Amino acid sequence: MAKVTGSFESVYRGVSEQVPQARRSGQMAEQVNMISDPVRGVVRRHGSQFLNAFQLSGADLTEAQQAELARKYTTMPYHCNGREYELFYAKEGVSGYPGAVPVIAYDKLAQKILPTVLYGGLAGLLNTAGVSSMVNIGKFVFIAANGFAPTYHFATNMVETAAQRLGVLWIRNGGFSRTYTLKLTMVDGSVKTVTYTTPAATYQGTLNTSDIPYDEAKPWLYQQAVANRTNAYNTAVTQHIATATAAIAPDAIAREMQSRIVAAIGSTQVAADGAYVLWNQLANVAYASMDDGGDDSYARVNAFSVDTVEKLVPRAYNGMLMKVAAKRSNNKDAFYMRAVTKDGSMFGEVTWKEAAAQVIQPMQVFNIGYVHNGTFYIGGTPAELNTVTSGAANCPLFKDSVVGDSNSQPLPQLFGRQIDYLGVFQDRLIIGTGSTLMCSRPGDYFNWFRQTVLDVLDNDPIEMYALGSEDDTIKWDTSFDRNHVLFGRKFQYVLPGRTPLTPKNPSIQIMSANEDAI
């Protein structure tokens, strides 16, 4: 008689339709009204309770059309102002079904369907294209549309525009016999050179009494003539010293340079203000350089660019923009400083703050949804959502870039490409385009730009992708053991959750390669 002994290792690893020999240990062929629970083992399935029934379309559809429409929808929980909703959203367009809306909000507490209002062109695109991804952050839900590439406006290079052709010459100090040379490059390419040399410290005349005749009969006349000429010479020396000393004062040099600049460029749009000479955009000066006859410590000029931030002048036009780029450097080393007058005047004492020469202004990126007074509103932009809710949503606007140019602050890849994934990790909004992830600033979800090009800060946005995954598309996510697991069409990725995600240690790794795991 045969003897059979042994036991199952577990019975809660789910159901497998494979042949018995191919099943993993603990997998069953069938479970009826049971759920495999890793904690309690196999437990009885809880009963279902009917809550509500509704039509996805407001029009009468055939049974086949209703089934076809229902297959386009999936669900996602949504919390807004302490209330829980369930969102039914279509992954494909529903414009072919009269009365159908792409996103439907179900109020779980009131057990009713909320009316949906779409406002704006991008919101309307959800009808024809469907939803590519959604994420709920705070009281808002962000909804990306299929086939739409986020748009932006690239402001003109402000440091090179006519409005920024401002210049300031600062005479810091004066010296005897010192030559100040200012070279002005005009808009038409011509170069005007303005030169001024201060008086010498010593009187250039000489005392000569050899031509005075001597009369032996009247020697006192000779002595008187010599004395008169000596006194005249001493007076001239004294006057020269006074005149030369006054001429080397910064204010005097500035006035002299101002008059010579007007004569050189043929424009009256040049003024002197104390030790400063300033000209506006009507003077048509594109660039300027200054040689003070020494080590550049006696005079400085600000027009278009300087090579160090220390050479920025303490008084300037309000709003004047300067490029700071070291000599023999590439454009990636450049940054920009804007002058802000302390009293708000047109010209005066200023504080220099880092600014942007080329401003990236996000226009349309994704839709924003919000529940207000029993209605689910979807706006194509934050401004449109605020408009359709009469300001009740109070949604923050997309942030513009505040520093750099196209070299030091390149355009994020989320612009011009369809958004395939939206998520949140460590209080950063994650926008996925293909396999590239753009992580916003922590808590500032609509800000995707650096605060300064001079340093990398921990709360700066992050743009990253895993090496070798350039042709992948990330579509879904889940959390596992504090980590953020991302699912692409070809690979699966992990964002480690035990360490802070910062620009100094961006970490996204390929975890596995199970194709079509999404």
Side-chain angles (χ1 to χ4, degrees):
M1 183 174 73
K3 180 181 179 182
V4 179
T5 62
S7 63
F8 287 112
E9 295 181 8
S10 67
V11 290
Y12 57 82
R13 292 191 178 180
V15 177
S16 174
E17 296 182 356
Q18 293 182 321
V19 295
Q21 61 269 23
R23 296 176 194 147
R24 298 176 61 187
S25 176
Q27 289 183 325
M28 300 291 103
E30 182 182 15
Q31 287 182 359
V32 180
N33 289 331
M34 305 293 286
I35 297 178
S36 298
D37 188 283
V39 177
R40 294 178 293 171
V42 179
V43 297
R44 187 174 298 280
R45 184 189 300 273
H46 58 78
S48 299
Q49 181 181 0
F50 175 79
L51 295 178
N52 205 336
F54 62 93
Q55 288 185 337
L56 292 171
S57 173
D60 292 332
L61 303 177
T62 65
E63 192 171 317
Q65 288 177 320
Q66 292 176 359
E68 184 181 68
L69 180 60
R71 283 194 293 269
K72 296 178 180 290
Y73 285 82
T74 186
T75 66
M76 186 192 81
Y78 166 49
H79 296 80
C80 179
N81 294 329
R83 207 173 181 99
E84 186 176 359
Y85 303 88
E86 193 73 23
L87 296 183
F88 297 81
Y89 64 97
K91 304 286 284 184
E92 304 174 21
V94 295
S95 56
Y97 304 88
V101 292
V103 185
I104 301 169
Y106 175 74
D107 189 334
K108 291 186 176 181
L109 182 62
Q111 297 186 7
K112 67 175 184 179
I113 302 298
L114 304 184
T116 300
V117 175
L118 303 176
Y119 186 78
L122 182 55
L125 184 62
L126 296 175
N127 269 323
T128 57
V131 177
S132 65
S133 185
M134 301 176 68
V135 65
N136 175 205
I137 300 181
K139 63 181 180 180
F140 300 109
V141 57
F142 306 148
I143 309 170
N146 278 318
F148 176 77
T151 60
Y152 65 95
H153 174 66
F154 217 165
T156 308
N157 189 342
M158 296 187 297
V159 77
E160 293 180 350
T161 58
Q164 285 298 329
R165 292 184 187 131
L166 305 172
V168 178
L169 171 63
W170 179 29
I171 305 299
R172 304 184 65 197
N173 205 346
F176 296 108
S177 301
R178 182 173 289 269
T179 300
Y180 295 84
T181 303
L182 177 66
K183 288 187 177 180
L184 301 174
T185 302
M186 309 305 291
V187 174
D188 59 8
S190 62
V191 178
K192 309 293 185 181
T193 302
V194 178
T195 302
Y196 171 60
T197 302
T198 57
T202 58
Y203 180 60
Q204 300 302 310
T206 58
L207 177 61
N208 185 6
T209 61
S210 60
D211 59 332
I212 299 176
Y214 179 75
D215 188 353
E216 293 183 356
K218 300 177 181 179
W220 63 87
L221 294 178
Y222 172 77
Q223 294 174 356
Q224 184 178 1
V226 171
N228 290 339
R229 184 168 293 186
T230 303
N231 291 335
Y233 176 81
N234 291 335
T235 300
V237 171
T238 303
Q239 290 177 346
H240 171 79
I241 293 174
T243 302
T245 302
I248 66 172
D251 293 15
I253 298 174
R255 289 192 298 270
E256 187 68 30
M257 291 296 293
Q258 182 262 344
S259 62
R260 293 173 183 243
I261 293 172
V262 169
I265 67 176
S267 173
T268 59
Q269 304 298 321
V270 185
D273 186 342
Y276 296 83
V277 180
L278 51 146
W279 57 86
N280 60 25
Q281 61 270 18
L282 298 180
N284 291 322
V285 176
Y287 311 97
S289 61
M290 185 68 190
D291 180 7
D292 63 2
D295 57 357
D296 295 336
S297 63
Y298 276 59
R300 289 176 182 171
V301 63
N302 282 187
F304 181 74
S305 68
V306 292
D307 54 10
T308 63
V309 71
E310 289 77 14
K311 291 187 177 180
L312 296 173
V313 296
R315 290 171 62 86
Y317 284 101
N318 189 30
M320 182 176 177
L321 190 68
M322 287 294 297
K323 179 179 180 180
V324 182
K327 295 180 180 178
R328 300 179 182 177
S329 67
N330 55 36
N331 288 328
K332 291 185 178 181
D333 297 327
F335 61 97
Y336 300 84
M337 302 293 287
R338 184 180 297 281
V340 179
T341 53
K342 296 181 179 179
D343 57 0
S345 59
M346 183 188 72
F347 182 87
E349 189 175 354
V350 298
T351 299
W352 290 94
K353 299 180 180 180
E354 190 176 1
Q358 292 172 303
V359 180
I360 305 171
Q361 301 171 330
M363 305 299 288
Q364 291 183 317
V365 183
F366 46 69
N367 297 285
I368 302 98
Y370 176 71
V371 174
H372 175 59
N373 286 343
T375 300
F376 183 51
Y377 294 95
I378 299 178
T381 64
E384 290 175 346
L385 179 64
N386 292 334
T387 299
V388 74
T389 60
S390 301
N394 194 24
C395 183
L397 305 180
F398 295 136
K399 301 292 182 63
D400 299 344
S401 64
V402 294
V403 296
D405 54 18
S406 58
N407 291 307
S408 55
Q409 178 74 273
L411 183 70
Q413 288 200 35
L414 72 93
F415 294 104
R417 302 174 63 186
Q418 174 184 307
I419 295 177
D420 302 302
Y421 162 77
L422 290 172
V424 61
F425 178 65
Q426 293 187 357
D427 202 28
R428 294 178 183 265
L429 171 65
I430 304 179
I431 304 174
T433 53
S435 62
T436 302
L437 300 180
M438 165 54 73
C439 306
S440 71
R441 291 192 197 175
D444 196 358
Y445 310 116
F446 293 166
N447 197 330
W448 308 303
F449 305 103
R450 298 172 61 182
Q451 304 168 64
T452 174
V453 299
L454 303 177
D455 194 9
V456 178
L457 306 179
D458 289 338
N459 63 341
D460 273 347
I462 308 167
E463 190 172 55
M464 59 184 178
Y465 67 92
L467 294 176
S469 65
E470 290 84 352
D471 58 343
D472 198 7
T473 301
I474 295 174
K475 297 290 292 184
W476 207 258
D477 66 13
T478 189
S479 296
F480 177 74
D481 190 26
R482 296 169 59 181
N483 298 325
H484 197 62
V485 181
L486 301 166
F487 292 84
R489 297 190 182 279
K490 293 185 177 182
F491 303 100
Q492 291 73 53
Y493 311 86
V494 60
L495 297 177
R498 299 183 182 276
T499 57
L501 181 63
T502 69
K504 298 177 182 178
N505 64 338
S507 178
I508 176 172
Q509 304 169 3
I510 296 178
M511 184 178 68
S512 57
N514 297 316
E515 192 168 351
D516 292 330
I518 57 175

